[in-house]
Short mmCIF file of all heavy atoms in Angstrom, two decimals:
data_model
loop_
_atom_site.label_atom_id
_atom_site.label_comp_id
_atom_site.label_asym_id
_atom_site.label_seq_id
_atom_site.Cartn_x
_atom_site.Cartn_y
_atom_site.Cartn_z
N ASP A 19 51.87 263.81 48.04
CA ASP A 19 51.56 264.75 49.11
C ASP A 19 50.05 264.81 49.30
O ASP A 19 49.28 264.76 48.34
CB ASP A 19 52.07 266.15 48.77
CG ASP A 19 53.59 266.19 48.73
OD1 ASP A 19 54.23 265.44 49.50
OD2 ASP A 19 54.14 266.95 47.91
N THR A 20 49.64 264.93 50.56
CA THR A 20 48.21 264.94 50.87
C THR A 20 47.84 266.20 51.64
O THR A 20 48.65 266.77 52.37
CB THR A 20 47.81 263.72 51.71
OG1 THR A 20 48.60 263.68 52.91
CG2 THR A 20 48.03 262.43 50.93
N THR A 21 46.61 266.64 51.45
CA THR A 21 46.06 267.75 52.21
C THR A 21 44.65 267.37 52.65
O THR A 21 43.97 266.59 51.97
CB THR A 21 46.01 269.05 51.40
OG1 THR A 21 45.23 268.83 50.21
CG2 THR A 21 47.40 269.50 50.99
N TYR A 22 44.25 267.94 53.77
CA TYR A 22 42.94 267.63 54.35
C TYR A 22 42.26 268.89 54.85
O TYR A 22 42.91 269.83 55.30
CB TYR A 22 43.09 266.66 55.53
CG TYR A 22 43.69 265.32 55.15
CD1 TYR A 22 45.06 265.10 55.24
CD2 TYR A 22 42.87 264.29 54.71
CE1 TYR A 22 45.61 263.88 54.89
CE2 TYR A 22 43.42 263.05 54.36
CZ TYR A 22 44.78 262.87 54.44
OH TYR A 22 45.31 261.65 54.10
N ALA A 23 40.94 268.87 54.78
CA ALA A 23 40.18 269.91 55.44
C ALA A 23 40.41 269.79 56.95
O ALA A 23 40.58 268.68 57.47
CB ALA A 23 38.70 269.76 55.13
N SER A 24 40.42 270.91 57.62
CA SER A 24 40.69 270.89 59.06
C SER A 24 39.66 270.06 59.82
O SER A 24 39.97 269.45 60.85
CB SER A 24 40.72 272.31 59.61
OG SER A 24 39.48 272.96 59.36
N SER A 25 38.45 269.99 59.28
CA SER A 25 37.37 269.27 59.96
C SER A 25 37.55 267.75 59.92
O SER A 25 36.92 267.04 60.70
CB SER A 25 36.02 269.64 59.34
OG SER A 25 36.00 269.32 57.96
N VAL A 26 38.40 267.26 59.02
CA VAL A 26 38.58 265.81 58.90
C VAL A 26 40.01 265.36 59.20
O VAL A 26 40.27 264.15 59.26
CB VAL A 26 38.17 265.31 57.50
CG1 VAL A 26 36.77 265.76 57.15
CG2 VAL A 26 39.17 265.74 56.43
N ARG A 27 40.90 266.31 59.37
CA ARG A 27 42.32 265.94 59.57
C ARG A 27 42.46 265.08 60.83
O ARG A 27 41.92 265.38 61.88
CB ARG A 27 43.17 267.20 59.69
CG ARG A 27 44.67 266.95 59.62
CD ARG A 27 45.44 268.26 59.60
NE ARG A 27 45.16 269.02 58.38
CZ ARG A 27 44.63 270.25 58.41
NH1 ARG A 27 44.33 270.81 59.57
NH2 ARG A 27 44.41 270.88 57.28
N GLY A 28 43.20 263.99 60.66
CA GLY A 28 43.38 263.06 61.78
C GLY A 28 42.34 261.95 61.81
O GLY A 28 42.50 260.97 62.53
N ARG A 29 41.26 262.12 61.04
CA ARG A 29 40.20 261.10 61.00
C ARG A 29 40.09 260.44 59.63
O ARG A 29 39.71 259.28 59.53
CB ARG A 29 38.85 261.72 61.36
CG ARG A 29 38.81 262.35 62.74
CD ARG A 29 37.39 262.79 63.11
NE ARG A 29 36.86 263.80 62.22
CZ ARG A 29 35.76 263.66 61.48
NH1 ARG A 29 35.07 262.53 61.52
NH2 ARG A 29 35.33 264.65 60.70
N PHE A 30 40.41 261.20 58.58
CA PHE A 30 40.30 260.69 57.21
C PHE A 30 41.70 260.51 56.62
O PHE A 30 42.62 261.27 56.93
CB PHE A 30 39.54 261.67 56.32
CG PHE A 30 38.05 261.76 56.61
CD1 PHE A 30 37.49 261.23 57.76
CD2 PHE A 30 37.22 262.41 55.71
CE1 PHE A 30 36.13 261.33 58.02
CE2 PHE A 30 35.86 262.52 55.95
CZ PHE A 30 35.32 261.97 57.11
N THR A 31 41.83 259.52 55.74
CA THR A 31 43.09 259.28 55.04
C THR A 31 42.81 259.03 53.57
O THR A 31 42.01 258.15 53.23
CB THR A 31 43.84 258.08 55.63
OG1 THR A 31 44.09 258.30 57.02
CG2 THR A 31 45.17 257.88 54.90
N ILE A 32 43.47 259.80 52.71
CA ILE A 32 43.35 259.59 51.27
C ILE A 32 44.56 258.80 50.80
O ILE A 32 45.69 259.02 51.25
CB ILE A 32 43.23 260.93 50.52
CG1 ILE A 32 42.91 260.70 49.04
CG2 ILE A 32 44.47 261.79 50.70
CD1 ILE A 32 42.55 261.99 48.29
N SER A 33 44.32 257.87 49.88
CA SER A 33 45.41 257.06 49.35
C SER A 33 45.06 256.64 47.93
O SER A 33 43.90 256.75 47.51
CB SER A 33 45.65 255.82 50.22
OG SER A 33 44.50 254.99 50.22
N ARG A 34 46.05 256.17 47.23
CA ARG A 34 45.78 255.73 45.87
C ARG A 34 46.50 254.41 45.60
O ARG A 34 47.51 254.09 46.23
CB ARG A 34 46.21 256.79 44.85
CG ARG A 34 47.69 257.05 44.80
CD ARG A 34 48.09 257.86 43.58
NE ARG A 34 49.54 258.00 43.53
CZ ARG A 34 50.17 259.14 43.71
NH1 ARG A 34 49.48 260.24 43.95
NH2 ARG A 34 51.49 259.19 43.66
N ASP A 35 45.97 253.66 44.65
CA ASP A 35 46.56 252.41 44.20
C ASP A 35 46.76 252.54 42.69
O ASP A 35 45.81 252.46 41.92
CB ASP A 35 45.64 251.23 44.53
CG ASP A 35 46.29 249.89 44.23
OD1 ASP A 35 47.05 249.79 43.25
OD2 ASP A 35 46.01 248.93 44.97
N ASN A 36 48.01 252.76 42.30
CA ASN A 36 48.29 253.00 40.88
C ASN A 36 48.01 251.77 40.02
O ASN A 36 47.63 251.90 38.85
CB ASN A 36 49.73 253.44 40.71
CG ASN A 36 50.00 254.82 41.29
OD1 ASN A 36 49.07 255.56 41.59
ND2 ASN A 36 51.27 255.14 41.49
N THR A 37 48.16 250.57 40.59
CA THR A 37 47.93 249.37 39.79
C THR A 37 46.45 249.15 39.53
O THR A 37 46.04 248.70 38.45
CB THR A 37 48.53 248.14 40.48
OG1 THR A 37 47.94 248.00 41.77
CG2 THR A 37 50.03 248.27 40.62
N LYS A 38 45.63 249.49 40.53
CA LYS A 38 44.18 249.36 40.36
C LYS A 38 43.56 250.62 39.77
O LYS A 38 42.40 250.62 39.36
CB LYS A 38 43.51 249.06 41.69
CG LYS A 38 43.90 247.72 42.30
CD LYS A 38 43.18 247.49 43.62
CE LYS A 38 43.54 246.16 44.24
NZ LYS A 38 42.86 245.95 45.55
N ASN A 39 44.37 251.71 39.74
CA ASN A 39 43.90 253.01 39.27
C ASN A 39 42.70 253.49 40.09
O ASN A 39 41.67 253.93 39.55
CB ASN A 39 43.53 252.99 37.78
CG ASN A 39 43.80 254.32 37.12
OD1 ASN A 39 44.74 255.05 37.48
ND2 ASN A 39 42.98 254.68 36.14
N THR A 40 42.85 253.41 41.41
CA THR A 40 41.80 253.83 42.32
C THR A 40 42.35 254.80 43.37
O THR A 40 43.55 254.81 43.65
CB THR A 40 41.17 252.64 43.05
OG1 THR A 40 42.19 251.92 43.75
CG2 THR A 40 40.48 251.70 42.08
N VAL A 41 41.45 255.59 43.91
CA VAL A 41 41.77 256.48 45.01
C VAL A 41 40.76 256.22 46.12
O VAL A 41 39.55 256.25 45.88
CB VAL A 41 41.70 257.95 44.59
CG1 VAL A 41 41.98 258.87 45.79
CG2 VAL A 41 42.69 258.23 43.47
N ASP A 42 41.25 255.94 47.31
CA ASP A 42 40.38 255.64 48.44
C ASP A 42 40.35 256.77 49.45
O ASP A 42 41.32 257.54 49.57
CB ASP A 42 40.86 254.37 49.15
CG ASP A 42 40.59 253.11 48.35
OD1 ASP A 42 39.90 253.20 47.30
OD2 ASP A 42 41.05 252.04 48.77
N LEU A 43 39.25 256.83 50.18
CA LEU A 43 39.14 257.75 51.30
C LEU A 43 38.70 256.92 52.50
O LEU A 43 37.56 256.47 52.57
CB LEU A 43 38.13 258.86 51.02
CG LEU A 43 38.02 259.93 52.10
CD1 LEU A 43 39.30 260.76 52.17
CD2 LEU A 43 36.82 260.84 51.86
N GLN A 44 39.63 256.70 53.42
CA GLN A 44 39.34 255.97 54.64
C GLN A 44 38.85 256.96 55.68
O GLN A 44 39.54 257.93 55.98
CB GLN A 44 40.58 255.24 55.14
CG GLN A 44 41.07 254.16 54.20
CD GLN A 44 42.39 253.56 54.68
OE1 GLN A 44 43.46 254.13 54.53
NE2 GLN A 44 42.30 252.39 55.28
N MET A 45 37.67 256.70 56.21
CA MET A 45 37.05 257.62 57.15
C MET A 45 36.81 256.90 58.48
O MET A 45 36.23 255.80 58.49
CB MET A 45 35.72 258.14 56.60
CG MET A 45 35.83 258.76 55.21
SD MET A 45 34.26 259.42 54.59
CE MET A 45 33.32 257.92 54.44
N SER A 46 37.25 257.49 59.54
CA SER A 46 37.05 256.90 60.86
C SER A 46 36.53 257.96 61.82
O SER A 46 36.54 259.15 61.51
CB SER A 46 38.36 256.29 61.39
OG SER A 46 39.35 257.28 61.53
N SER A 47 36.11 257.50 62.99
CA SER A 47 35.53 258.41 64.00
C SER A 47 34.49 259.33 63.36
O SER A 47 34.49 260.54 63.60
CB SER A 47 36.64 259.23 64.67
OG SER A 47 37.59 258.40 65.28
N LEU A 48 33.64 258.75 62.59
CA LEU A 48 32.66 259.53 61.83
C LEU A 48 31.67 260.22 62.75
O LEU A 48 31.28 259.68 63.79
CB LEU A 48 31.95 258.64 60.82
CG LEU A 48 32.78 258.31 59.57
CD1 LEU A 48 32.22 257.10 58.85
CD2 LEU A 48 32.86 259.50 58.65
N LYS A 49 31.29 261.43 62.32
CA LYS A 49 30.37 262.26 63.08
C LYS A 49 29.13 262.55 62.23
O LYS A 49 29.20 262.49 60.99
CB LYS A 49 31.04 263.59 63.43
CG LYS A 49 32.37 263.46 64.15
CD LYS A 49 33.02 264.82 64.32
CE LYS A 49 34.37 264.70 65.02
NZ LYS A 49 35.02 266.03 65.20
N PRO A 50 28.03 262.87 62.86
CA PRO A 50 26.83 263.20 62.07
C PRO A 50 27.08 264.31 61.06
O PRO A 50 26.48 264.30 59.97
CB PRO A 50 25.83 263.64 63.15
CG PRO A 50 26.24 262.85 64.35
CD PRO A 50 27.74 262.81 64.30
N GLU A 51 27.97 265.25 61.39
CA GLU A 51 28.25 266.34 60.46
C GLU A 51 29.06 265.90 59.25
O GLU A 51 29.30 266.70 58.35
CB GLU A 51 28.95 267.50 61.18
CG GLU A 51 30.16 267.10 62.01
CD GLU A 51 29.81 266.90 63.48
OE1 GLU A 51 28.76 266.30 63.78
OE2 GLU A 51 30.61 267.35 64.33
N ASP A 52 29.52 264.66 59.23
CA ASP A 52 30.18 264.12 58.03
C ASP A 52 29.17 263.64 57.00
O ASP A 52 29.55 263.26 55.88
CB ASP A 52 31.11 262.97 58.41
CG ASP A 52 32.28 263.40 59.27
OD1 ASP A 52 32.87 264.45 58.98
OD2 ASP A 52 32.60 262.66 60.24
#
């Protein structure tokens, strides 16, 4: 399950790779306030 701050919802995606033991944050439509 994922949750997002309202300011980034729809633009950022959190995901994980259990085999690599990593967590990524994909960010798009970036704004100066990010």
Side-chain angles (χ1 to χ4, degrees):
D19 294 327
T20 57
T21 58
Y22 298 93
S24 58
S25 59
V26 306
R27 191 174 296 120
R29 300 187 298 120
F30 289 13
T31 302
I32 188 171
S33 62
R34 65 167 184 248
D35 187 325
N36 292 346
T37 58
K38 296 180 180 179
N39 212 33
T40 57
V41 178
D42 288 353
L43 184 68
Q44 296 174 282
M45 306 182 295
S46 62
S47 302
L48 283 162
K49 306 174 181 180
E51 50 264 43
D52 294 318

